[in-house]
Amino acid sequence: MTESVTVVLPALDEAASVGRVVGDLLGLADEIVVVDNGSSDGTGAIAAAAGARVVVEPRRGFGSACFAGTVAARGDIVCFLDADGTFAPADVARVVREVSEHKLDLCLGSRTLLPGAIRRDHRIVNRALGLSLIVAGGPRLTDIGPLRAIRREALLALGVEDRAFAWPLEMVIRAARAKLVIGEIPVAYLPRFGGESKVTGSLRGSLRVARQMSVLLAREALR
């Protein structure tokens, strides 16, 4: 029996890109769920017009949006990625396939395995996070990026608690403790269709994410 797939796009003020991203993904999944996380630029309306099912999550936070999308998803497999066009549809399909073909329980798209895909400073940060992840009891990974696929019921069973930017990291740690098979495949990282990144668009944003992940890693290392 073929498993159904939901692609979840957490989105905050992504009017410049979300319509095109939804359009590019329509043929790759059974449904596209865009979680409007408090946008003021019409992101939700544009996503709906492009063919997505829009879920409104008023509580701000990347993890809040991802969790709301997980709860709302109707597919057996959920795939998460940003709504800014930085991931190619073909790579999204490859990540999902690793799960649908039962090769992995949790598959991540690694932007660091392809030379030049991300900036050198981001590569260094990812390497540091990867080493810290091992200390906290997680698997050896090269990238804790947003592109990932997992079965919906398995994800809900993990009980991920973070509702901010440490949500992707906590998911990996909990999946490892649950003995899920975790792996990654190389993916390209493309220029944004438009708008500005909430994470890497400013030094303040990058430092905020690093701080949240560091706090989570320190807590998990003590468990």
Side-chain angles (χ1 to χ4, degrees):
M1 179 174 145
T2 302
E3 294 177 293
S4 55
V5 178
T6 296
V7 171
V8 176
L9 303 171
L12 172 60
D13 292 332
E14 296 288 5
S17 59
V18 70
R20 183 174 166 186
V21 173
V22 170
D24 287 347
L25 294 172
L26 280 177
L28 300 179
D30 297 277
E31 67 170 352
I32 312 294
V33 172
V34 171
V35 183
D36 188 344
N37 199 206
S39 301
S40 59
D41 63 352
T43 289
I46 293 171
R53 180 160 64 94
V54 176
V55 173
V56 176
E57 174 47 70
R59 180 182 174 184
R60 287 286 184 91
F62 182 76
S64 293
C66 289
F67 180 70
T70 304
V71 172
R74 298 167 181 154
D76 301 303
I77 296 172
V78 287
C79 178
F80 301 89
L81 66 148
D82 291 338
D84 56 11
T86 49
F87 293 103
D91 285 336
V92 175
R94 289 172 56 238
V95 168
V96 170
R97 196 176 303 123
E98 292 292 310
V99 177
S100 66
E101 294 181 354
H102 298 275
K103 297 176 182 177
L104 296 171
D105 297 318
L106 169 59
C107 180
L108 291 84
S110 173
R111 302 161 293 181
T112 69
L113 293 176
L114 292 180
I118 60 174
R119 296 198 320 245
R120 184 171 179 270
D121 57 330
H122 295 164
R123 193 180 296 272
I124 292 171
V125 169
N126 266 294
R127 187 175 299 132
L129 279 173
L131 292 173
S132 300
L133 179 61
I134 295 171
V135 173
R140 184 180 297 275
L141 297 173
T142 63
D143 191 7
I144 315 296
L147 176 54
R148 56 189 60 206
I150 185 173
R151 286 182 177 81
R152 178 178 179 273
E153 292 305 318
L155 174 54
L156 290 173
L158 295 179
V160 181
E161 298 175 350
D162 189 84
R163 293 295 180 262
F165 284 110
W167 187 86
L169 183 59
E170 186 184 358
M171 183 207 294
V172 173
I173 293 174
R174 289 191 176 233
R177 289 180 178 165
K179 306 301 182 185
L180 298 188
V181 180
I182 306 168
E184 58 186 4
I185 60 173
V187 298
Y189 195 56
L190 309 173
R192 291 176 58 92
F193 286 164
E196 184 177 271
S197 171
K198 314 304 181 298
V199 179
T200 59
S202 68
L203 176 60
R204 180 181 179 184
S206 298
L207 291 175
R208 182 175 71 249
V209 174
R211 181 173 63 252
Q212 290 175 6
M213 288 190 172
S214 296
V215 170
L216 175 71
L217 284 166
R219 185 176 71 239
E220 294 297 327
L222 296 175
R223 289 190 175 183

PDB file of all heavy atoms in Angstrom, residues 23-49:
ATOM      1  N   GLY A  23       3.519  25.911  -5.896  1.00  0.00           N
ATOM      2  CA  GLY A  23       3.300  25.463  -7.267  1.00  0.00           C
ATOM      3  C   GLY A  23       4.316  24.423  -7.715  1.00  0.00           C
ATOM      4  O   GLY A  23       3.969  23.450  -8.392  1.00  0.00           O
ATOM      5  N   ASP A  24       5.573  24.608  -7.304  1.00  0.00           N
ATOM      6  CA  ASP A  24       6.632  23.665  -7.686  1.00  0.00           C
ATOM      7  C   ASP A  24       6.484  22.306  -7.007  1.00  0.00           C
ATOM      8  O   ASP A  24       6.968  21.291  -7.513  1.00  0.00           O
ATOM      9  CB  ASP A  24       8.006  24.249  -7.332  1.00  0.00           C
ATOM     10  CG  ASP A  24       8.424  25.375  -8.266  1.00  0.00           C
ATOM     11  OD1 ASP A  24       7.770  25.536  -9.321  1.00  0.00           O
ATOM     12  OD2 ASP A  24       9.379  26.096  -7.937  1.00  0.00           O
ATOM     13  N   LEU A  25       5.804  22.290  -5.851  1.00  0.00           N
ATOM     14  CA  LEU A  25       5.714  21.055  -5.064  1.00  0.00           C
ATOM     15  C   LEU A  25       4.405  20.292  -5.269  1.00  0.00           C
ATOM     16  O   LEU A  25       4.293  19.144  -4.820  1.00  0.00           O
ATOM     17  CB  LEU A  25       5.864  21.388  -3.572  1.00  0.00           C
ATOM     18  CG  LEU A  25       7.217  21.924  -3.117  1.00  0.00           C
ATOM     19  CD1 LEU A  25       7.131  22.391  -1.667  1.00  0.00           C
ATOM     20  CD2 LEU A  25       8.307  20.863  -3.271  1.00  0.00           C
ATOM     21  N   LEU A  26       3.445  20.882  -5.938  1.00  0.00           N
ATOM     22  CA  LEU A  26       2.108  20.285  -6.021  1.00  0.00           C
ATOM     23  C   LEU A  26       2.100  18.857  -6.543  1.00  0.00           C
ATOM     24  O   LEU A  26       1.328  18.025  -6.086  1.00  0.00           O
ATOM     25  CB  LEU A  26       1.197  21.157  -6.889  1.00  0.00           C
ATOM     26  CG  LEU A  26       0.607  22.391  -6.206  1.00  0.00           C
ATOM     27  CD1 LEU A  26      -0.201  23.198  -7.205  1.00  0.00           C
ATOM     28  CD2 LEU A  26      -0.257  21.991  -5.015  1.00  0.00           C
ATOM     29  N   GLY A  27       2.940  18.544  -7.476  1.00  0.00           N
ATOM     30  CA  GLY A  27       2.921  17.196  -8.030  1.00  0.00           C
ATOM     31  C   GLY A  27       3.720  16.179  -7.252  1.00  0.00           C
ATOM     32  O   GLY A  27       3.742  14.987  -7.607  1.00  0.00           O
ATOM     33  N   LEU A  28       4.361  16.618  -6.170  1.00  0.00           N
ATOM     34  CA  LEU A  28       5.253  15.735  -5.425  1.00  0.00           C
ATOM     35  C   LEU A  28       4.623  15.148  -4.167  1.00  0.00           C
ATOM     36  O   LEU A  28       5.217  14.272  -3.539  1.00  0.00           O
ATOM     37  CB  LEU A  28       6.534  16.486  -5.031  1.00  0.00           C
ATOM     38  CG  LEU A  28       7.379  17.037  -6.180  1.00  0.00           C
ATOM     39  CD1 LEU A  28       8.590  17.768  -5.621  1.00  0.00           C
ATOM     40  CD2 LEU A  28       7.819  15.913  -7.106  1.00  0.00           C
ATOM     41  N   ALA A  29       3.459  15.638  -3.776  1.00  0.00           N
ATOM     42  CA  ALA A  29       2.854  15.205  -2.514  1.00  0.00           C
ATOM     43  C   ALA A  29       1.341  15.154  -2.662  1.00  0.00           C
ATOM     44  O   ALA A  29       0.763  15.726  -3.588  1.00  0.00           O
ATOM     45  CB  ALA A  29       3.239  16.149  -1.380  1.00  0.00           C
ATOM     46  N   ASP A  30       0.709  14.470  -1.730  1.00  0.00           N
ATOM     47  CA  ASP A  30      -0.754  14.393  -1.728  1.00  0.00           C
ATOM     48  C   ASP A  30      -1.379  15.689  -1.249  1.00  0.00           C
ATOM     49  O   ASP A  30      -2.510  16.007  -1.613  1.00  0.00           O
ATOM     50  CB  ASP A  30      -1.201  13.227  -0.845  1.00  0.00           C
ATOM     51  CG  ASP A  30      -0.714  11.893  -1.393  1.00  0.00           C
ATOM     52  OD1 ASP A  30      -1.369  11.350  -2.294  1.00  0.00           O
ATOM     53  OD2 ASP A  30       0.354  11.419  -0.948  1.00  0.00           O
ATOM     54  N   GLU A  31      -0.646  16.423  -0.422  1.00  0.00           N
ATOM     55  CA  GLU A  31      -1.127  17.733  -0.005  1.00  0.00           C
ATOM     56  C   GLU A  31       0.054  18.605   0.424  1.00  0.00           C
ATOM     57  O   GLU A  31       1.098  18.103   0.857  1.00  0.00           O
ATOM     58  CB  GLU A  31      -2.138  17.631   1.146  1.00  0.00           C
ATOM     59  CG  GLU A  31      -1.566  17.147   2.454  1.00  0.00           C
ATOM     60  CD  GLU A  31      -2.535  17.296   3.637  1.00  0.00           C
ATOM     61  OE1 GLU A  31      -3.599  17.908   3.479  1.00  0.00           O
ATOM     62  OE2 GLU A  31      -2.201  16.791   4.728  1.00  0.00           O
ATOM     63  N   ILE A  32      -0.134  19.905   0.274  1.00  0.00           N
ATOM     64  CA  ILE A  32       0.825  20.893   0.754  1.00  0.00           C
ATOM     65  C   ILE A  32       0.134  21.688   1.851  1.00  0.00           C
ATOM     66  O   ILE A  32      -0.932  22.277   1.626  1.00  0.00           O
ATOM     67  CB  ILE A  32       1.263  21.869  -0.358  1.00  0.00           C
ATOM     68  CG1 ILE A  32       1.651  21.124  -1.632  1.00  0.00           C
ATOM     69  CG2 ILE A  32       2.389  22.760   0.140  1.00  0.00           C
ATOM     70  CD1 ILE A  32       2.877  20.271  -1.513  1.00  0.00           C
ATOM     71  N   VAL A  33       0.709  21.693   3.036  1.00  0.00           N
ATOM     72  CA  VAL A  33       0.159  22.465   4.146  1.00  0.00           C
ATOM     73  C   VAL A  33       1.112  23.627   4.438  1.00  0.00           C
ATOM     74  O   VAL A  33       2.281  23.414   4.762  1.00  0.00           O
ATOM     75  CB  VAL A  33      -0.003  21.599   5.412  1.00  0.00           C
ATOM     76  CG1 VAL A  33      -0.383  22.471   6.607  1.00  0.00           C
ATOM     77  CG2 VAL A  33      -1.068  20.527   5.195  1.00  0.00           C
ATOM     78  N   VAL A  34       0.608  24.829   4.297  1.00  0.00           N
ATOM     79  CA  VAL A  34       1.376  26.022   4.654  1.00  0.00           C
ATOM     80  C   VAL A  34       0.873  26.506   6.006  1.00  0.00           C
ATOM     81  O   VAL A  34      -0.324  26.744   6.178  1.00  0.00           O
ATOM     82  CB  VAL A  34       1.228  27.132   3.595  1.00  0.00           C
ATOM     83  CG1 VAL A  34       1.845  28.438   4.099  1.00  0.00           C
ATOM     84  CG2 VAL A  34       1.892  26.711   2.292  1.00  0.00           C
ATOM     85  N   VAL A  35       1.784  26.620   6.954  1.00  0.00           N
ATOM     86  CA  VAL A  35       1.412  27.096   8.287  1.00  0.00           C
ATOM     87  C   VAL A  35       1.783  28.570   8.377  1.00  0.00           C
ATOM     88  O   VAL A  35       2.962  28.929   8.434  1.00  0.00           O
ATOM     89  CB  VAL A  35       2.127  26.299   9.390  1.00  0.00           C
ATOM     90  CG1 VAL A  35       1.660  26.783  10.764  1.00  0.00           C
ATOM     91  CG2 VAL A  35       1.853  24.807   9.239  1.00  0.00           C
ATOM     92  N   ASP A  36       0.761  29.413   8.359  1.00  0.00           N
ATOM     93  CA  ASP A  36       0.968  30.855   8.454  1.00  0.00           C
ATOM     94  C   ASP A  36       1.189  31.201   9.923  1.00  0.00           C
ATOM     95  O   ASP A  36       0.283  31.120  10.740  1.00  0.00           O
ATOM     96  CB  ASP A  36      -0.252  31.584   7.892  1.00  0.00           C
ATOM     97  CG  ASP A  36      -0.023  33.087   7.775  1.00  0.00           C
ATOM     98  OD1 ASP A  36       0.925  33.600   8.397  1.00  0.00           O
ATOM     99  OD2 ASP A  36      -0.800  33.745   7.067  1.00  0.00           O
ATOM    100  N   ASN A  37       2.402  31.617  10.231  1.00  0.00           N
ATOM    101  CA  ASN A  37       2.809  31.813  11.624  1.00  0.00           C
ATOM    102  C   ASN A  37       2.760  33.292  12.043  1.00  0.00           C
ATOM    103  O   ASN A  37       3.656  33.769  12.732  1.00  0.00           O
ATOM    104  CB  ASN A  37       4.210  31.250  11.831  1.00  0.00           C
ATOM    105  CG  ASN A  37       4.555  30.976  13.283  1.00  0.00           C
ATOM    106  OD1 ASN A  37       5.717  30.984  13.657  1.00  0.00           O
ATOM    107  ND2 ASN A  37       3.568  30.725  14.134  1.00  0.00           N
ATOM    108  N   GLY A  38       1.706  33.968  11.597  1.00  0.00           N
ATOM    109  CA  GLY A  38       1.531  35.366  11.995  1.00  0.00           C
ATOM    110  C   GLY A  38       1.971  36.356  10.937  1.00  0.00           C
ATOM    111  O   GLY A  38       2.392  37.469  11.274  1.00  0.00           O
ATOM    112  N   SER A  39       1.864  35.981   9.676  1.00  0.00           N
ATOM    113  CA  SER A  39       2.301  36.860   8.595  1.00  0.00           C
ATOM    114  C   SER A  39       1.422  38.103   8.473  1.00  0.00           C
ATOM    115  O   SER A  39       0.225  38.068   8.753  1.00  0.00           O
ATOM    116  CB  SER A  39       2.283  36.110   7.264  1.00  0.00           C
ATOM    117  OG  SER A  39       3.122  34.975   7.302  1.00  0.00           O
ATOM    118  N   SER A  40       2.033  39.180   8.003  1.00  0.00           N
ATOM    119  CA  SER A  40       1.299  40.427   7.793  1.00  0.00           C
ATOM    120  C   SER A  40       1.333  40.857   6.332  1.00  0.00           C
ATOM    121  O   SER A  40       0.926  41.974   6.005  1.00  0.00           O
ATOM    122  CB  SER A  40       1.893  41.544   8.668  1.00  0.00           C
ATOM    123  OG  SER A  40       3.274  41.742   8.360  1.00  0.00           O
ATOM    124  N   ASP A  41       1.826  39.973   5.451  1.00  0.00           N
ATOM    125  CA  ASP A  41       2.004  40.340   4.047  1.00  0.00           C
ATOM    126  C   ASP A  41       1.130  39.534   3.084  1.00  0.00           C
ATOM    127  O   ASP A  41       1.367  39.530   1.880  1.00  0.00           O
ATOM    128  CB  ASP A  41       3.473  40.178   3.648  1.00  0.00           C
ATOM    129  CG  ASP A  41       3.950  38.726   3.741  1.00  0.00           C
ATOM    130  OD1 ASP A  41       3.191  37.877   4.258  1.00  0.00           O
ATOM    131  OD2 ASP A  41       5.087  38.443   3.308  1.00  0.00           O
ATOM    132  N   GLY A  42       0.140  38.825   3.617  1.00  0.00           N
ATOM    133  CA  GLY A  42      -0.742  38.053   2.749  1.00  0.00           C
ATOM    134  C   GLY A  42      -0.215  36.685   2.373  1.00  0.00           C
ATOM    135  O   GLY A  42      -0.708  36.066   1.421  1.00  0.00           O
ATOM    136  N   THR A  43       0.760  36.178   3.112  1.00  0.00           N
ATOM    137  CA  THR A  43       1.345  34.865   2.820  1.00  0.00           C
ATOM    138  C   THR A  43       0.279  33.775   2.719  1.00  0.00           C
ATOM    139  O   THR A  43       0.285  32.967   1.790  1.00  0.00           O
ATOM    140  CB  THR A  43       2.376  34.483   3.908  1.00  0.00           C
ATOM    141  OG1 THR A  43       3.530  35.306   3.756  1.00  0.00           O
ATOM    142  CG2 THR A  43       2.789  33.021   3.796  1.00  0.00           C
ATOM    143  N   GLY A  44      -0.633  33.735   3.678  1.00  0.00           N
ATOM    144  CA  GLY A  44      -1.646  32.687   3.707  1.00  0.00           C
ATOM    145  C   GLY A  44      -2.538  32.714   2.481  1.00  0.00           C
ATOM    146  O   GLY A  44      -2.826  31.668   1.881  1.00  0.00           O
ATOM    147  N   ALA A  45      -2.991  33.893   2.089  1.00  0.00           N
ATOM    148  CA  ALA A  45      -3.877  34.016   0.932  1.00  0.00           C
ATOM    149  C   ALA A  45      -3.161  33.599  -0.357  1.00  0.00           C
ATOM    150  O   ALA A  45      -3.747  32.936  -1.223  1.00  0.00           O
ATOM    151  CB  ALA A  45      -4.383  35.448   0.816  1.00  0.00           C
ATOM    152  N   ILE A  46      -1.910  33.968  -0.483  1.00  0.00           N
ATOM    153  CA  ILE A  46      -1.133  33.601  -1.679  1.00  0.00           C
ATOM    154  C   ILE A  46      -0.936  32.094  -1.733  1.00  0.00           C
ATOM    155  O   ILE A  46      -1.067  31.469  -2.791  1.00  0.00           O
ATOM    156  CB  ILE A  46       0.227  34.330  -1.662  1.00  0.00           C
ATOM    157  CG1 ILE A  46       0.010  35.835  -1.818  1.00  0.00           C
ATOM    158  CG2 ILE A  46       1.140  33.803  -2.763  1.00  0.00           C
ATOM    159  CD1 ILE A  46       1.260  36.662  -1.596  1.00  0.00           C
ATOM    160  N   ALA A  47      -0.640  31.490  -0.583  1.00  0.00           N
ATOM    161  CA  ALA A  47      -0.443  30.039  -0.527  1.00  0.00           C
ATOM    162  C   ALA A  47      -1.722  29.300  -0.896  1.00  0.00           C
ATOM    163  O   ALA A  47      -1.693  28.311  -1.633  1.00  0.00           O
ATOM    164  CB  ALA A  47       0.027  29.633   0.870  1.00  0.00           C
ATOM    165  N   ALA A  48      -2.845  29.764  -0.393  1.00  0.00           N
ATOM    166  CA  ALA A  48      -4.128  29.124  -0.692  1.00  0.00           C
ATOM    167  C   ALA A  48      -4.455  29.229  -2.179  1.00  0.00           C
ATOM    168  O   ALA A  48      -4.923  28.272  -2.803  1.00  0.00           O
ATOM    169  CB  ALA A  48      -5.232  29.753   0.148  1.00  0.00           C
ATOM    170  N   ALA A  49      -4.197  30.389  -2.764  1.00  0.00           N
ATOM    171  CA  ALA A  49      -4.469  30.590  -4.184  1.00  0.00           C
ATOM    172  C   ALA A  49      -3.592  29.687  -5.049  1.00  0.00           C
ATOM    173  O   ALA A  49      -3.992  29.286  -6.146  1.00  0.00           O
ATOM    174  CB  ALA A  49      -4.242  32.050  -4.553  1.00  0.00           C
TER     175      ALA A  49
END
